[in-house]
Amino acid sequence: MARPEPIPAYEDNYIWLLRDGPATLVVDPGDAEPVIARLGTTPPSAILITHHHGDHIDGLPTLHVRWPEVPIFAPDDPRIPIATRRVSGGDVLEIGPWRFEVIAVPGHTQTQIAYHGAGLVFCGDSMFSLGCGRLFEGTPAQMLESLDRLATLPGDTLLCCTHEYTAANARFALAVEPGNAALGQRAAQVASLRASNAATLPSTLASERACNPFLRVDSPEILQSLANHLGHLPKGRVDAFAALRSWKDGFR
Ligand code: ZN
Ligand code: FE
């Protein structure tokens, strides 16, 4: 199985590249230059877009002019002006040797999607390793449902999210669930990877289920931390998730 490669862009973005023989996929090209530096004159088989934010689509004008024949898959959202095929949850894409299912993951934005196939998931800014995206447009209930859906994917699924936020996420995760031994091990691994400037991604769904606090809102230790933080126990999963997300928003 091809291992996805993260191409660093901007401060902390990753543009994902997947290769299998002559087939190549580019995901969320927020900048064209690092993609062209990697691919040279060879066009990719397709470009996938998860959501409309500039750090995920701003490379499209240059790439579309350079390679007008390359299909660009994107959510149906006018804020993504360039696309050759609009896709939504439940759609299945056949690209070269790959087959991807589109999963709707609203929360960070209303039209965000993820692409699941080839043993991995390109999930944009919905789930991060040890964290999740900020709720710019969606509700806590929507984001929790999106994360719950992603969490049902097989444990060996590689999580290809688009930001290197893992070290900061680990600090928050340890603050809310300090007794989680798997999290302690993951945090140590993340610290040593970042010390050598290496990517902490892709992660696996099994690791996220064991360590990511936003997938663990039923954990007794997290519920106790939330009770200490709020002064009362959350009134259910959505309430716990909402409280965890807003705590993280203000956490330094
Ligand atoms: Zn975003
Ligand atoms: Fe982003």
Side-chain angles (χ1 to χ4, degrees):
M1 193 183 74
R3 181 140 178 111
E5 302 164 42
I7 305 175
Y10 299 110
E11 280 280 283
D12 51 33
N13 277 72
Y14 290 129
I15 299 165
W16 287 96
L17 193 65
L18 185 65
R19 300 181 201 255
D20 187 346
T24 313
L25 266 186
V26 172
V27 185
D28 282 356
D31 190 3
E33 185 274 318
V35 174
I36 292 167
R38 200 65 76 94
L39 295 182
T41 55
T42 311
S45 311
I47 296 171
L48 306 182
I49 300 296
T50 64
H51 68 294
H52 74 276
H53 288 155
D55 60 310
H56 300 252
I57 68 168
D58 282 354
L60 284 179
T62 300
L63 296 176
H64 189 48
V65 165
R66 184 180 179 91
W67 294 313
E69 72 287 2
V70 170
I72 300 170
F73 297 87
D76 190 7
D77 187 320
R79 297 172 296 185
I80 306 170
I82 299 174
T84 63
R85 188 165 152 206
R86 302 291 177 170
V87 293
S88 57
D91 287 352
V92 172
L93 321 180
E94 310 266 0
I95 304 165
W98 302 296
R99 183 179 182 279
F100 287 95
E101 183 201 358
V102 177
I103 303 173
V105 286
H108 178 67
T109 72
Q110 281 295 349
T111 60
Q112 166 131 34
I113 56 176
Y115 300 87
H116 172 235
L120 53 84
V121 62
F122 296 116
C123 63
D125 292 354
S126 55
M127 188 189 301
F128 293 122
S129 183
L130 305 181
C132 72
R134 283 179 186 261
L135 301 181
F136 287 126
E137 299 177 4
T139 64
Q142 273 182 320
M143 184 58 123
L144 181 59
E145 192 180 341
S146 296
L147 296 177
D148 282 346
R149 173 70 182 85
L150 292 173
T152 65
L153 297 176
D156 59 358
T157 306
L158 299 177
L159 184 79
C160 300
C161 47
T162 32
H163 288 276
E164 182 59 78
Y165 290 159
T166 321
N169 288 344
R171 282 194 292 282
F172 178 72
L174 284 168
V176 299
E177 199 178 19
N180 181 338
L183 171 61
Q185 286 170 16
R186 171 69 173 148
Q189 178 199 42
V190 166
S192 90
L193 285 168
R194 294 313 293 153
S196 56
N197 211 29
T200 62
L201 303 166
S203 168
T204 65
L205 254 301
S207 170
E208 296 309 317
R209 284 197 288 263
C211 305
N212 187 329
F214 294 96
L215 305 186
R216 299 176 57 75
V217 293
D218 308 298
S219 147
E221 189 178 14
I222 291 180
L223 288 171
Q224 189 54 55
S225 296
L226 284 169
N228 296 342
H229 181 70
L230 297 167
H232 58 85
L233 266 171
K235 294 173 204 69
R237 295 187 80 236
V238 173
D239 199 30
F241 175 80
L244 200 60
R245 183 59 263 183
S246 63
W247 185 1
K248 171 74 164 61
D249 287 342
F251 185 83
R252 291 290 173 270

